[in-house]
């Protein structure tokens, strides 16, 4: 059986990165011969098998022919006559089109090793244009590899722009857009995803609410970067630094300033009430892409509350308690820590502020801890001596929490 290690496992090994999942291509076999050798078929769209001992995926070498619109509109041919070179030719980028034989020999017909050395993301061939999802994959790979010095090849960027102009991205299903976005937000440089898609014109097609932020000015004394789109890039990168691999925090960072795109031009560069204006476009984005509930809820809390957290030391204890309650911080205590991280990313994700302290975060966490330490069982009876219950208990608990927060806020910083 002719088997070759392919794709990300080969690429990452050549880059000196930690190994991930290993995928294999098998040449010259059929489904019957694979099953006879003990492999278990699992592929729904094309022939993929699990190794009987390792459980790793082995796919028959295949070609693909475009048969319709979208990323699923393909006819797959996995005939035993398909060669390894033909299989590699259908892949997206040259750095993913390198195979390794069992003896360690590289099979690299499209120059992927050279592009790895040159730090270039380049498409394999014209068939790239047949799958619109590959535009998003280009952004996602840049989110991972930009810190290593990678850039997108000019001819690849030109091809992506042509795909966008042809309306190809309109056929992407929401779940696949979210999958690529989520992985980009969990990468080291989400800004490279946004910048790549923006430069290709693709961001307007898949995230128009975010794309609308580019070119919107902010007050330079607070935002030396001025451009709101650039600010969001910086916030996403800071979120990735503060909470590595956390796409939940990353999504809230991405969407916290959507309201600034709606500021009337007569008010610019000020953005009065943008935190509340941003809730509607955030909800529209979440509905369109079917964003998971936990991501929606944190993002909405960050959009609505980030200015309150920034001015935390100006807030009364009752206002802090109401903020915690609005964010569901008693039932979901982890949300307050996540909110604090998003707000810190916002404050430090601007020109010259990357190393600034953000004491508001720890102060919010201390107030939250004090409020959570209050227990209904510790409250005394009502004025009439009867045990508290119903609305009276709720109000007494709220007042006790406000008192605990006030005490926490009075401690020296």
């Amino acid at each position: 059986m002719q088997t070759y290690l392919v794709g990300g496992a080969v690429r990452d090994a050549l880059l000196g990165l930690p190994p991930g999942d290993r995928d294999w291509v098998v040449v010259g076999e059929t489904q019957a011969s694979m099953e006879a050798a003990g492999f278990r078929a699992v592929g729904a769209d094309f022939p993929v098998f699990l190794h009987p001992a390792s459980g790793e995926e082995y796919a028959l070498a295949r070609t693909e022919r475009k048969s319709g619109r979208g990323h699923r509109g393909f006819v797959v041919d996995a005939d035993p006559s398909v060669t390894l070179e033909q299989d590699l030719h259908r892949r997206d980028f040259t750095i993913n089109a390198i195979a390794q034989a069992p003896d360690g020999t590289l099979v690299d017909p499209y120059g992927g090793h050279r592009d790895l050395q040159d730090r270039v993301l380049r498409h394999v061939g014209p068939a790239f244009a047949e799958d619109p999802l590959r535009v998003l994959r280009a952004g996602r790979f840049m989110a991972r590899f930009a810190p290593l010095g990678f850039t997108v090849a000019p001819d690849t960027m030109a091809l992506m722009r042509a795909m966008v102009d042809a309306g190809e991205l309109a056929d992407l299903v929401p779940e696949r857009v979210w999958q690529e976005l989520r992985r980009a937000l969990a990468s080291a440089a989400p800004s490279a995803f946004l910048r790549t898609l923006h430069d290709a014109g693709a961001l307007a097609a898949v995230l128009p609410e975010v794309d609308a932020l580019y070119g919107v000015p902010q007050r330079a004394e607070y935002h030396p970067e001025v451009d709101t789109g650039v600010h969001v890039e910086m916030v996403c990168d800071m979120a990735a630094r503060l909470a590595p691999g956390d796409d939940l925090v990353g999504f809230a960072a991405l969407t916290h300033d959507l309201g600034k795109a709606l500021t009337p031009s007569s008010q610019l560069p000020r953005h009065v009430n943008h935190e509340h204006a941003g809730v509607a476009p955030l909800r529209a984005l979440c509905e369109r892409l079917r964003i998971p509930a936990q991501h929606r809820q944190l993002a909405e809390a960050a959009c609505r509350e980030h200015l309150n957290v920034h001015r935390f030391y100006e807030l009364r204890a009752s206002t802090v308690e109401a903020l915690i309650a609005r964010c569901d911080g008693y039932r979901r205590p982890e949300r307050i820590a996540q909110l604090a991280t998003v707000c810190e990313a916002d404050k430090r994700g601007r020109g010259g502020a990357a190393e600034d302290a953000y004491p508001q975060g720890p102060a919010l966490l201390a107030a939250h801890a004090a409020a959570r330490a209050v227990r209904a069982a510790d409250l005394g009876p009502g004025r009439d001596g009867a045990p508290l219950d119903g609305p009276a208990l709720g109000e007494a608990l709220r007042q006790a929490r406000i008192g605990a927060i006030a005490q926490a806020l009075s401690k020296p910083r």
Side-chain angles (χ1 to χ4, degrees):
M1 184 179 292
Q2 299 179 59
T3 62
Y4 298 87
L5 186 64
V6 294
V10 180
R11 176 198 66 221
D12 291 352
L14 292 171
L15 286 171
L17 299 176
D21 294 337
R22 301 198 305 172
D23 295 313
W24 303 82
V25 160
V26 183
V27 177
E29 300 294 333
T30 65
Q31 179 163 344
S33 67
M34 293 293 288
E35 291 177 343
F39 288 79
R40 180 166 61 90
V42 293
D45 299 324
F46 47 83
V48 178
F49 306 84
L50 297 183
H51 191 281
S54 69
E56 293 178 331
E57 289 191 356
Y58 285 65
L60 297 184
R62 66 186 189 272
T63 61
E64 295 174 345
R65 176 173 52 83
K66 186 73 170 174
S67 62
R69 293 182 65 86
H71 73 280
R72 297 179 66 93
F74 292 89
V75 173
V76 175
D77 178 12
D79 188 85
S81 64
V82 175
T83 67
L84 176 62
E85 289 74 14
Q86 288 174 314
D87 179 274
L88 295 174
H89 190 261
R90 67 174 176 79
R91 296 175 183 269
D92 48 12
F93 302 103
T94 60
I95 64 172
N96 296 330
I98 309 170
Q100 186 177 53
D103 64 1
T105 302
L106 295 181
V107 181
D108 181 23
Y110 306 110
H113 193 191
R114 181 185 63 250
D115 284 339
L116 282 175
Q117 294 174 324
D118 293 341
R119 300 298 196 254
V120 173
L121 190 68
R122 188 190 314 278
H123 65 287
V124 173
F128 180 94
E130 296 177 352
D131 185 354
L133 188 65
R134 289 176 168 179
V135 176
L136 273 63
R137 283 172 60 83
R140 194 244 298 170
F141 279 123
M142 286 300 296
R144 183 182 179 194
F145 294 132
L148 299 180
F150 272 78
T151 59
V152 179
D155 55 341
T156 300
M157 180 60 73
L159 182 56
M160 292 195 298
R161 288 180 181 137
M163 294 168 67
V164 173
D165 292 344
E168 288 285 340
L169 273 64
D171 296 308
L172 290 173
V173 297
E175 292 81 1
R176 296 306 296 270
V177 174
W178 169 238
Q179 183 180 35
E180 296 298 325
L181 173 59
R182 187 175 195 167
R183 295 175 72 179
L185 292 171
S187 299
S191 63
F193 174 87
L194 298 175
R195 177 59 59 179
T196 299
L197 266 60
H198 178 67
D199 289 349
L203 196 62
V206 294
L207 291 170
E209 299 87 353
V210 177
D211 189 73
L213 297 173
Y214 285 88
V216 175
Q218 304 165 109
R219 293 174 65 179
E221 63 266 37
Y222 300 120
H223 290 277
E225 69 282 357
V226 179
D227 189 302
T228 306
V230 175
H231 168 59
V232 169
E233 291 180 3
M234 298 172 73
V235 174
C236 287
D237 281 358
M238 182 56 68
R241 173 179 164 183
L242 297 174
D246 191 333
D247 57 84
L248 189 61
V249 168
F251 181 71
L254 173 69
T255 56
H256 79 284
D257 261 352
L258 295 184
K260 289 183 176 178
L262 303 178
T263 300
S265 59
S266 60
Q267 296 181 14
L268 295 175
R270 299 174 67 246
H271 293 277
V272 178
N273 208 37
H274 76 273
E275 67 275 23
H276 298 292
V279 172
L282 170 60
R283 289 176 176 173
L285 185 159
C286 290
E287 187 68 23
R288 187 179 70 255
L289 294 185
R290 302 173 190 170
I291 305 298
Q294 62 176 347
H295 290 73
R296 297 182 187 210
Q297 291 160 3
L298 176 62
E300 189 164 327
C303 181
R304 186 184 62 238
E305 308 291 354
H306 64 278
L307 291 189
N308 285 329
V309 179
H310 291 338
R311 56 176 175 251
F312 185 81
Y313 294 114
E314 303 172 20
L315 304 182
R316 293 175 296 182
S318 59
T319 305
V320 174
E321 196 283 329
L323 184 157
I324 293 170
R326 283 195 303 273
C327 297
D328 205 12
Y330 298 116
R331 291 194 312 134
R332 304 186 184 281
E334 71 283 354
R335 185 164 295 158
I336 302 303
Q338 293 163 343
L339 173 64
T341 301
V342 176
C343 293
E344 180 175 355
D346 177 35
K347 199 66 173 180
R348 294 172 62 184
R350 58 190 73 194
E355 305 306 323
D356 286 0
Y358 190 68
Q360 296 94 324
L364 173 59
L365 296 183
H368 182 223
R372 288 190 67 224
V374 176
R375 295 289 181 266
D378 299 331
L379 302 179
R383 293 180 179 178
D384 58 0
L388 293 169
D389 61 5
L393 175 60
E395 178 58 20
L397 187 59
R398 187 179 76 87
Q399 291 298 334
R401 286 168 170 167
I402 291 172
I405 291 171
Q407 186 173 2
L409 293 179
S410 68
K411 294 179 179 178
R413 300 173 198 168

